[in-house]
Amino acid sequence: MKKYQLLAEHIQAQIEQGVWRAGDRLPSLREQVAHSGMSFMTVSHAYQTLESQGVIVARPQSGYFVASRPQSERSPTKAIHSGTVDINTYIFDVLQASRDPAIVPFGSAFPDPRLFPLQQLNRSLTRVGRNASAVSLTSNLPPGNEELRQAIARRYAAQGMRISPDEIVITAGALEALNLSLQAVTNPGDWVIVEDPCFYGALQALERLRLRALAIPSDIREGINLQALEQALQTSPVRACWLMTNCQNPMGFTLNQQKKQQLLALLKRYNVTLIEDDVYTDLWSGREKPQPVRAWDDGSSVMHCSSFSKCLVAGFRIGWVAAGVHARRIQELQLMSTLSTSSPMQMALVDYLTTRSYDAHLRRLRRELMERKQQAIEALHRHFPAQVQIHSHDGGFFLWIELPPHLDASALSDAALACGISIAPGKMFTTSQAWHHAFRLNVSWAWSEREEQAVRRLGTLIAQKLEQEC
Amino acid sequence: MKKYQLLAEHIQAQIEQGVWRAGDRLPSLREQVAHSGMSFMTVSHAYQTLESQGVIVARPQSGYFVASRPQSERSPTKAIHSGTVDINTYIFDVLQASRDPAIVPFGSAFPDPRLFPLQQLNRSLTRVGRNASAVSLTSNLPPGNEELRQAIARRYAAQGMRISPDEIVITAGALEALNLSLQAVTNPGDWVIVEDPCFYGALQALERLRLRALAIPSDIREGINLQALEQALQTSPVRACWLMTNCQNPMGFTLNQQKKQQLLALLKRYNVTLIEDDVYTDLWSGREKPQPVRAWDDGSSVMHCSSFSKCLVAGFRIGWVAAGVHARRIQELQLMSTLSTSSPMQMALVDYLTTRSYDAHLRRLRRELMERKQQAIEALHRHFPAQVQIHSHDGGFFLWIELPPHLDASALSDAALACGISIAPGKMFTTSQAWHHAFRLNVSWAWSEREEQAVRRLGTLIAQKLEQEC
């Protein structure tokens, strides 16, 4: 590391430790030269670096001052890590539980697999088995099977978006796409914007890649708070922003067009890359499919990540990123970590997409999910105490449930799991304390006596917690 | 970061920059207090930290001195990064080239796919397509398909090794297994032992995870130098050691039993985890299959990584790690990054392994590879200049070719690629300058006029380089 970088790091560390606080005047260049014994060139280079990072600001005639930071700032290595250990443990329990058919999987992130066209997918697998090149690696190396990338590009085109197959990289589900995208545009220690609450995978990725989180509050109806976002961008050197714009996980909202455009304009102004997690978008409702933010970008500012796992087949583990200018870097990172996704899976999807009507399946899927959600909401109203708030949106298959603020949804989750019911408590989705009283409910299941009883049981458990608290 | 840590980092950086060299006496505590303006407590805490890390040593009555380091030590963020850019670019060229049937793929890391049982694998795919649960995710989540883990455990048992299916985690090829294993036992900044030369994936992983490399020289016959290894372990706080013990890539050697046991004893003594990359082991030759180091470990010190990609099918992207005590952590890391490998691929392998004789296939494969290697060696002797050294081993399908030390194999690689021939130059496998004159040759291809001409062309290009140098 160069001397000026060491000095810059040293000063930044002092600021983080509170040695210098927002608004404080830093030692002048000459004073710093005297302290550090470093040359004037080195010291001024260090100050310029900190200034370019937005850590300090120069004021004519008066010197260098520490920039102010937003309230929401958190050091993830503390805030996130403490949470993440629990999150991993909990994800483990939920996933292990989800293997057990005896557990009612209200905590699952995947829709009822019985809603997927299993027979058609199996026939595609069978056909691929007759294809001589099915097991060959080379034709499916990153960026991935060409026909599959073309099929995905055509689906973008049908939405009026111009995405070239050449910028699409096939990945092991959207999760690998999101992780590679984040890695492609950040270095350890960089600042990244996430939502509060957000998909726990984002928090895990930040911790894994040693990034610093700025959690911006999101509203159950309006989504991310653009004022808080701009304040964060003004005061911190943010590299990337990871969020969901359609059927957000866990809350379920979809940003309106105007807000999506405002979000993009804001991020472009601060030269921040948006990593757009759009895995539930095909579960939209209303007149037409909502556009992702990527629709207004030329590929320089937005990396659009999605998959087939939530709407067609989870077991294939096939997702993608429309990576724009970062497509090459994504491929390099994939070659280093998993090399590529499996050839037969890519080819089976090509077969399905070219011989079946994916859109007809999606129409049936959306209709069925809407009906099931309605049944679930009615059951919740029958069995949940009046103090519980039930938030629902037209798209997707999640309900966001708020208990009275003094109740802990994690405790409810433990009690429910003991009764053979899984839920996804708010703690999984936040680095703050703001959502510990909430939980996410997957309502994609065919409504039977089993689901009815499970909801009744949850209602009883909540009622018991309410009494205990009184 | 705490003040003492900043000071420790600052001093370590000075040492890495050569401000203080091995054996130099550092400023005394009191002198350091005077320079830094930090408290005596802080300074002595910083010195103790550096001492505990083996960076400096205290000598009674005389103060603190910079510890001596092995010659091979390098700061990867410098040495590796500069190399890695080229490596990625080169891997890209080789892989892109390998898609083009017009290129003779002597640079490839995979054997001729025509040696794989494509029809049998396709039939397994077809049968999986008839299986109702083929596309289901949950039964194949980490640690992976239970039958597949049992089949792998039985193969270990056939070798006299006791590996429980419960400690096996199915991954996207061995590459994901190796990356997850390294991540499971290290933190950024930790020291990791690699071989020189070694599989480039190890160098890429170190850079990606921000780890520090200690490259230990390996001999073409004897493998890793245990004296140099012990010296490194004595002088640096090493966390992990990543190396290949059977049919090493790129040089091809297999460590003998005694050396494997010595290696394990040495690593255990210093409490260093061995990440054993064993992907070519089934291409052994001789009377019986060589044991991995894991055979003498109880799962506390060795993580054994392998795959089906080099011997059965590359396109499925299925590998595994016998992770011992780290199995749970590996699963957590996988759930964060790729979630799981695809269900149908795992089930197709189960079908193949339970309905076919994998061992009969491996016997045919080894016999065929041996014959092809012999033909290749004869061709090299016909067409290569006498100054070229051809190193071959019984197992595997790589030859390690040494040009006269003053020749650059990377230049030869560029010239060869221009002639439609790929090779793997030594620069890909090292952070030192030691192997820039060597290259790896894949000789798994059926020997025809095309291969003969390619070798003749390479011989001519080498001869031209020799003349230019004179």
Side-chain angles (χ1 to χ4, degrees):
Chain A
M1 197 186 279
K2 295 220 184 330
K3 273 187 178 175
Y4 79 89
Q5 292 170 313
L6 281 166
L7 179 58
E9 270 198 8
H10 179 71
I11 295 168
Q12 177 151 17
Q14 288 182 316
I15 292 168
E16 278 163 19
Q17 290 168 312
V19 176
W20 310 103
R21 302 190 184 284
D24 285 353
R25 182 179 168 287
L26 286 175
S28 71
L29 293 178
R30 305 204 176 287
E31 289 164 340
Q32 195 64 259
V33 167
H35 301 173
S36 64
M38 295 181 181
S39 73
F40 189 92
M41 277 303 297
T42 305
V43 171
S44 85
H45 193 168
Y47 275 46
Q48 283 159 26
T49 304
L50 290 168
E51 194 184 357
S52 69
Q53 292 173 347
V55 177
I56 66 175
V57 288
R59 299 201 193 131
Q61 315 306 333
S62 47
Y64 290 88
F65 296 76
V66 179
S68 54
R69 299 287 179 102
Q71 289 307 310
S72 53
E73 172 181 327
R74 247 173 239 93
S75 158
T77 43
K78 247 177 71 267
I80 286 182
H81 185 76
S82 61
T84 307
V85 177
D86 300 349
I87 288 171
N88 288 334
T89 313
Y90 188 78
I91 292 171
F92 244 73
D93 297 345
V94 171
L95 289 174
Q96 295 301 337
S98 69
R99 295 183 181 195
D100 175 0
I103 296 274
V104 184
F106 286 153
S108 166
F110 292 89
D112 183 352
R114 285 174 291 268
L115 294 170
F116 292 158
L118 304 185
Q119 284 193 341
Q120 296 185 348
L121 290 162
N122 280 336
R123 287 202 204 91
S124 291
L125 267 178
T126 310
R127 273 192 290 271
V128 166
R130 302 203 196 93
N131 184 324
S133 64
V135 295
S136 86
L137 173 72
T138 49
S139 63
N140 296 287
L141 283 170
N145 181 288
E146 187 168 8
E147 288 177 273
L148 181 55
R149 288 182 289 115
Q150 282 165 350
I152 292 166
R154 279 192 291 272
R155 295 191 60 77
Y156 279 119
Q159 245 190 302
M161 293 170 64
R162 290 178 49 211
I163 306 273
S164 159
D166 300 338
E167 67 161 283
I168 295 171
V169 182
I170 306 300
T171 58
L175 190 60
E176 186 184 30
L178 291 159
N179 274 278
L180 295 180
S181 298
L182 188 60
Q183 205 175 341
V185 296
T186 58
N187 292 308
D190 284 345
W191 294 95
V192 176
I193 300 268
V194 293
E195 291 177 278
D196 185 22
C198 67
F199 167 47
Y200 50 71
L203 304 178
Q204 293 175 308
L206 290 176
E207 189 213 359
R208 219 168 47 80
L209 299 173
R210 305 300 203 277
L211 297 164
R212 299 197 264 191
L214 278 167
I216 307 298
S218 275
D219 175 80
I220 183 72
R221 293 278 142 217
E222 302 303 321
I224 189 162
N225 180 324
L226 291 183
Q227 291 67 35
L229 175 60
E230 177 147 31
Q231 189 196 7
L233 294 172
Q234 281 167 349
T235 50
S236 299
V238 173
R239 273 296 182 78
C241 173
W242 172 335
L243 49 78
M244 301 184 72
T245 53
N246 301 310
C247 305
Q248 192 252 15
N249 177 11
M251 294 206 288
F253 60 77
T254 292
L255 299 182
N256 65 43
Q257 273 210 19
Q258 188 197 10
K259 188 150 188 180
K260 284 171 178 164
Q261 289 166 314
Q262 291 170 339
L263 174 65
L264 179 60
L266 186 56
L267 294 177
K268 275 186 180 292
R269 198 178 322 137
Y270 289 89
N271 194 23
V272 170
T273 302
L274 174 63
I275 296 163
E276 189 171 23
D277 176 0
D278 207 17
V279 294
Y280 296 101
T281 185
D282 280 316
L283 303 179
W284 54 278
S285 80
R287 259 182 287 89
E288 59 182 12
K289 182 175 176 180
Q291 300 274 42
V293 171
R294 179 67 163 83
W296 294 279
D297 177 55
D298 59 3
S300 60
S301 302
V302 182
M303 303 167 84
H304 184 256
C305 303
S306 192
S307 82
F308 297 100
S309 303
K310 302 300 195 301
C311 299
L312 182 62
V313 54
F316 281 19
R317 305 301 308 130
I318 298 290
W320 73 86
V321 51
V325 297
H326 303 288
R328 159 97 188 203
R329 179 61 182 155
I330 296 285
Q331 294 176 60
E332 288 183 349
L333 289 170
Q334 189 177 28
L335 284 167
M336 287 190 215
S337 49
T338 60
L339 188 56
S340 83
T341 52
S342 62
S343 306
M345 294 297 90
Q346 297 185 57
M347 294 170 71
L349 272 177
V350 169
D351 182 87
Y352 173 87
L353 293 171
T354 50
T355 62
R356 312 288 181 169
S357 170
Y358 185 31
D359 288 311
H361 157 67
L362 289 174
R363 279 191 294 274
R364 283 190 299 273
L365 177 64
R366 286 193 295 266
R367 198 183 318 116
E368 185 62 34
L369 285 175
M370 237 177 183
E371 289 169 11
R372 292 182 174 192
K373 189 192 299 172
Q374 203 43 51
Q375 289 177 298
I377 291 171
E378 287 162 15
L380 293 184
H381 283 300
R382 276 195 293 277
H383 300 299
F384 276 18
Q387 303 96 312
V388 177
Q389 290 185 61
I390 302 164
H391 301 289
S392 78
H393 294 268
D394 296 342
F397 53 88
F398 292 141
L399 299 179
W400 186 240
I401 313 292
E402 280 190 85
L403 304 172
H406 60 283
L407 288 193
D408 175 12
S410 304
L412 175 65
S413 160
D414 298 340
L417 210 52
C419 303
I421 306 162
S422 75
I423 63 171
K427 193 179 177 184
M428 290 172 70
F429 307 99
T430 182
T431 61
S432 73
Q433 308 296 309
W435 296 105
H436 286 195
H437 66 295
F439 63 93
R440 187 192 69 188
L441 209 63
N442 177 329
V443 292
S444 67
W445 317 100
W447 211 257
S448 71
E449 184 53 28
R450 178 186 184 228
E451 284 69 27
E452 185 76 15
Q453 276 181 16
V455 166
R456 191 184 301 118
R457 195 85 187 85
L458 279 177
T460 311
L461 290 169
I462 295 167
Q464 287 168 355
K465 302 264 172 229
L466 281 167
E467 286 163 15
Q468 289 164 14
E469 305 294 323
C470 298
Chain B
M1 201 188 279
K2 295 217 182 329
K3 273 187 177 177
Y4 78 88
Q5 292 171 313
L6 280 166
L7 179 58
E9 270 199 8
H10 179 70
I11 295 168
Q12 177 150 16
Q14 288 181 316
I15 292 169
E16 278 165 16
Q17 290 169 311
V19 177
W20 310 102
R21 302 189 183 286
D24 284 355
R25 183 179 170 286
L26 287 175
S28 71
L29 293 179
R30 304 200 179 287
E31 289 165 338
Q32 194 64 259
V33 167
H35 300 174
S36 64
M38 295 180 180
S39 74
F40 189 92
M41 278 303 298
T42 305
V43 171
S44 85
H45 194 168
Y47 274 40
Q48 284 159 28
T49 305
L50 291 167
E51 194 184 357
S52 69
Q53 293 174 348
V55 177
I56 65 175
V57 290
R59 298 201 193 128
Q61 317 304 333
S62 47
Y64 289 88
F65 296 76
V66 178
S68 56
R69 300 290 179 99
Q71 287 308 308
S72 52
E73 171 182 329
R74 245 166 244 98
S75 155
T77 43
K78 248 177 73 265
I80 287 184
H81 184 75
S82 62
T84 307
V85 177
D86 298 349
I87 288 170
N88 288 333
T89 311
Y90 188 76
I91 291 171
F92 244 73
D93 297 344
V94 171
L95 289 174
Q96 295 300 338
S98 69
R99 296 183 181 196
D100 175 359
I103 296 273
V104 183
F106 285 152
S108 167
F110 293 89
D112 183 351
R114 284 174 291 267
L115 294 170
F116 292 158
L118 303 186
Q119 283 193 341
Q120 296 184 349
L121 289 163
N122 279 336
R123 286 200 204 92
S124 291
L125 268 178
T126 308
R127 273 194 290 272
V128 167
R130 301 202 194 95
N131 184 323
S133 64
V135 295
S136 87
L137 173 73
T138 49
S139 62
N140 297 287
L141 283 170
N145 181 287
E146 187 169 7
E147 288 177 89
L148 181 55
R149 288 183 289 115
Q150 282 165 351
I152 292 166
R154 280 192 291 274
R155 294 190 61 77
Y156 279 119
Q159 246 190 304
M161 293 170 63
R162 288 177 49 210
I163 306 272
S164 159
D166 299 338
E167 68 162 281
I168 294 171
V169 182
I170 305 300
T171 58
L175 190 60
E176 186 184 30
L178 291 159
N179 275 277
L180 295 179
S181 298
L182 188 60
Q183 206 175 341
V185 296
T186 58
N187 292 308
D190 284 346
W191 293 95
V192 175
I193 300 268
V194 293
E195 291 176 278
D196 185 21
C198 68
F199 167 47
Y200 50 70
L203 304 178
Q204 293 175 309
L206 289 175
E207 189 213 359
R208 218 169 46 81
L209 299 173
R210 303 301 202 278
L211 298 163
R212 299 198 263 191
L214 279 166
I216 307 299
S218 275
D219 175 79
I220 184 72
R221 294 276 144 220
E222 301 302 322
I224 190 161
N225 180 324
L226 291 182
Q227 289 67 35
L229 175 60
E230 178 147 30
Q231 189 195 2
L233 293 171
Q234 280 166 351
T235 49
S236 300
V238 173
R239 274 297 182 79
C241 173
W242 172 334
L243 48 79
M244 300 184 73
T245 53
N246 301 310
C247 305
Q248 192 250 17
N249 177 12
M251 294 206 289
F253 60 77
T254 292
L255 299 183
N256 65 44
Q257 272 210 21
Q258 187 196 9
K259 187 150 188 180
K260 283 171 178 164
Q261 289 166 313
Q262 289 170 341
L263 174 65
L264 180 60
L266 187 56
L267 294 177
K268 274 186 181 293
R269 199 179 319 139
Y270 289 88
N271 194 24
V272 170
T273 302
L274 174 63
I275 296 163
E276 188 172 23
D277 177 359
D278 207 17
V279 294
Y280 295 101
T281 185
D282 280 315
L283 303 180
W284 55 278
S285 80
R287 258 182 288 88
E288 60 181 14
K289 181 176 175 179
Q291 300 274 44
V293 170
R294 180 66 164 83
W296 293 278
D297 178 56
D298 58 3
S300 61
S301 302
V302 182
M303 304 168 84
H304 184 257
C305 302
S306 192
S307 82
F308 296 100
S309 303
K310 302 301 195 301
C311 299
L312 181 63
V313 53
F316 281 19
R317 305 301 307 130
I318 298 290
W320 72 87
V321 52
V325 296
H326 303 287
R328 159 96 188 203
R329 179 60 182 156
I330 296 285
Q331 293 175 60
E332 289 182 348
L333 289 169
Q334 188 177 30
L335 283 168
M336 288 190 216
S337 49
T338 59
L339 189 55
S340 82
T341 52
S342 63
S343 306
M345 294 297 89
Q346 298 185 58
M347 295 171 71
L349 271 177
V350 168
D351 182 87
Y352 173 86
L353 293 172
T354 49
T355 61
R356 312 287 182 169
S357 171
Y358 185 30
D359 287 311
H361 157 67
L362 289 174
R363 279 191 294 274
R364 283 190 298 272
L365 178 63
R366 286 192 294 267
R367 197 181 320 115
E368 186 62 33
L369 284 176
M370 233 181 193
E371 288 169 12
R372 292 181 173 192
K373 189 193 299 173
Q374 202 45 51
Q375 289 176 299
I377 290 170
E378 288 162 14
L380 293 184
H381 282 302
R382 276 194 292 277
H383 301 300
F384 276 18
Q387 303 96 311
V388 177
Q389 291 185 60
I390 301 164
H391 301 288
S392 79
H393 294 268
D394 295 343
F397 53 88
F398 292 141
L399 299 179
W400 187 240
I401 313 292
E402 279 191 85
L403 304 173
H406 60 281
L407 288 194
D408 175 12
S410 305
L412 174 65
S413 161
D414 297 340
L417 211 51
C419 304
I421 306 162
S422 76
I423 62 171
K427 191 179 178 183
M428 290 172 69
F429 307 99
T430 182
T431 62
S432 73
Q433 309 296 309
W435 295 105
H436 285 196
H437 65 295
F439 63 93
R440 186 191 70 188
L441 209 63
N442 177 329
V443 291
S444 68
W445 316 100
W447 210 258
S448 70
E449 185 52 29
R450 179 188 184 225
E451 284 70 27
E452 184 76 16
Q453 275 181 14
V455 166
R456 190 184 301 122
R457 195 87 186 82
L458 279 177
T460 311
L461 290 171
I462 296 169
Q464 288 168 355
K465 300 264 173 230
L466 282 168
E467 285 163 19
Q468 289 162 13
E469 303 295 323
C470 298

